[in-house]
Amino acid sequence: MTAESDPNRKTVLDDDTELVQAINAGDTQRFQELVQRYEQKLYTFGRRMCRNESDAEDLVQDTFLNVYRYLKDFRYETRFKNWLYRVAANTALKKRRRSKFAPEPELPLEELVEREDLAAPGEVPEWARMPLEQLLNEELLGILHQAIWSLPEKYRIVVILRDIEEFSTEDTAQILNLSPANVKVRLHRARLFLRDKLKGYFGHDV
Amino acid sequence: MMCDPHDPSHCLQLFDKLSEYIDGEMDEAERRAIEAHIAQCVACSGCLQSLKRTIALCKRAGRQAVPAVFSEKLQTMIQHIQSAH
């Protein structure tokens, strides 16, 4: 039985369906519309994934090339946005595999939670208490971006999809072809790593 | 999770669950147990707040404006592949 003739096949319609169907029906000029719709989102994804600006641009460009090439294979079984980010994620991960052969480091939980954090009652640190608007500035955002770039890639991509792009756990699992449980583990470790870097920046103990 | 509120090994077990708690992805019984512990453990409460703040900062990391030059380059590339097909 082909996917098309399977009565149990799920079809997901969303704001992109009409445009994608039009392109796949031959109106390829409308691909520009798709690019305009997603270029900023994918550029942000690229800049958070890649420390180097030109690597981020290559990632966006290669992603759109792959989308153009494989759009006909999109089966409307997920939201188009999930499929697009799956292409972007695969493009990003393939680039790394081509450029580095060293295995990715792990983030063991024990190293992320210092025992002294929890050994003695402390108080909520000032940076976690003060109003967010008062805390936010260019320097802090720079520190946060550096911290995200210093995460091993398999953790970085999860925290970007969950906490920056704000995909759900299920959508992130679908995009990365991971189990939801695996997404949760990687996300928690990535957040602890970032918390640790921010803690260092603010110079507090908790 | 009824135990000494400042038992570090117990706190470490709880720490493993904090993201699921923040994301509202745990069942009612687990959620209540964590809240009961946090209500009496100042150290865990501090960790929870700093983790929540870290997530809030990530959510505010901001969209990145696409440089005009790159946007034009992208359009040119698309026109090129369209004309090639």
Side-chain angles (χ1 to χ4, degrees):
Chain A
M1 189 185 297
T2 64
E4 287 75 10
S5 63
D6 180 358
N8 297 318
R9 183 173 160 250
K10 180 182 71 166
T11 301
V12 178
L13 304 178
D14 59 27
D15 292 344
D16 296 314
T17 305
E18 185 273 327
L19 178 57
V20 173
Q21 284 176 334
I23 297 165
N24 275 340
D27 193 358
T28 55
Q29 290 305 312
R30 292 189 71 190
F31 192 78
Q32 289 282 9
E33 245 178 88
L34 201 65
V35 173
Q36 282 161 9
R37 200 173 280 188
Y38 282 106
E39 69 177 348
Q40 197 202 13
K41 287 188 177 76
L42 284 185
Y43 187 74
T44 300
F45 174 77
R47 287 298 282 133
R48 296 290 85 82
M49 281 300 294
C50 309
R51 192 184 293 265
N52 184 298
E53 194 175 338
S54 70
D55 287 346
E57 291 183 357
D58 285 350
L59 171 58
V60 177
Q61 191 167 304
D62 290 352
T63 298
F64 280 123
L65 275 174
N66 284 329
V67 168
Y68 191 85
R69 192 173 298 147
Y70 298 113
L71 194 62
K72 284 213 179 307
D73 297 333
F74 177 57
R75 313 312 310 161
Y76 306 93
E77 289 170 340
T78 66
R79 287 195 301 152
F80 172 74
K81 189 180 170 190
N82 288 15
W83 183 82
L84 176 73
Y85 273 81
R86 188 169 194 163
V87 175
N90 285 338
T91 305
L93 297 174
K94 266 183 198 155
K95 272 186 182 298
R96 192 195 70 84
R97 280 197 289 270
R98 274 203 299 265
S99 60
K100 291 178 190 169
F101 297 98
E104 274 214 282
E106 295 293 333
L107 292 179
L109 190 62
E110 309 77 57
E111 286 175 24
L112 294 168
V113 185
E114 295 169 43
R115 285 203 158 248
E116 55 266 35
D117 265 4
L118 302 169
E123 58 175 27
V124 179
E126 198 185 350
W127 68 273
R129 275 187 284 128
M130 64 194 287
L132 198 58
E133 298 307 327
Q134 216 172 308
L135 196 68
L136 271 171
N137 59 44
E138 286 301 313
E139 186 185 353
L140 177 59
L141 286 177
I143 295 291
L144 184 62
H145 293 160
Q146 291 290 341
I148 292 169
W149 288 326
S150 61
L151 271 166
E153 195 167 51
K154 69 180 186 180
Y155 297 94
R156 191 186 333 144
I157 201 163
V158 169
V159 82
I160 291 171
L161 291 174
R162 285 285 286 114
D163 287 345
I164 297 178
E165 302 295 331
E166 303 199 48
F167 282 101
S168 67
T169 298
E170 287 68 29
D171 283 346
T172 304
Q174 189 179 61
I175 290 166
L176 298 176
N177 202 20
L178 294 171
S179 68
N182 207 333
V183 167
K184 287 181 190 180
V185 168
R186 291 187 191 187
L187 176 65
H188 187 51
R189 291 179 187 195
R191 285 172 172 175
L192 291 178
F193 178 91
L194 297 178
R195 184 192 80 112
D196 200 49
K197 297 287 181 194
L198 291 171
K199 215 172 71 174
Y201 170 69
F202 287 108
H204 286 276
D205 292 332
V206 177
Chain B
M1 296 213 185
M2 294 305 291
C3 68
D4 174 356
H6 303 307
D7 170 6
S9 62
H10 173 64
C11 294
L12 279 172
Q13 285 174 8
L14 177 143
F15 213 86
D16 209 10
K17 296 272 179 188
L18 279 185
S19 276
E20 279 179 79
Y21 172 72
I22 292 167
D23 294 335
E25 291 181 334
M26 58 174 39
D27 64 41
E28 187 67 14
E30 276 186 308
R31 187 182 64 77
R32 282 193 192 161
I34 283 195
E35 283 172 357
H37 177 85
I38 283 175
Q40 54 182 332
C41 179
V42 182
C44 280
S45 175
C47 288
L48 174 67
Q49 294 308 322
S50 59
L51 195 59
K52 276 186 175 175
R53 177 47 55 95
T54 302
I55 298 164
L57 285 169
C58 281
K59 290 187 194 297
R60 297 293 293 271
R63 288 260 160 240
Q64 194 92 28
V66 186
V69 174
F70 177 62
S71 196
E72 282 165 26
K73 188 177 158 192
L74 211 49
Q75 282 177 32
T76 308
M77 177 199 80
I78 300 302
Q79 282 161 5
H80 181 73
I81 54 171
Q82 282 171 333
S83 61
H85 285 85

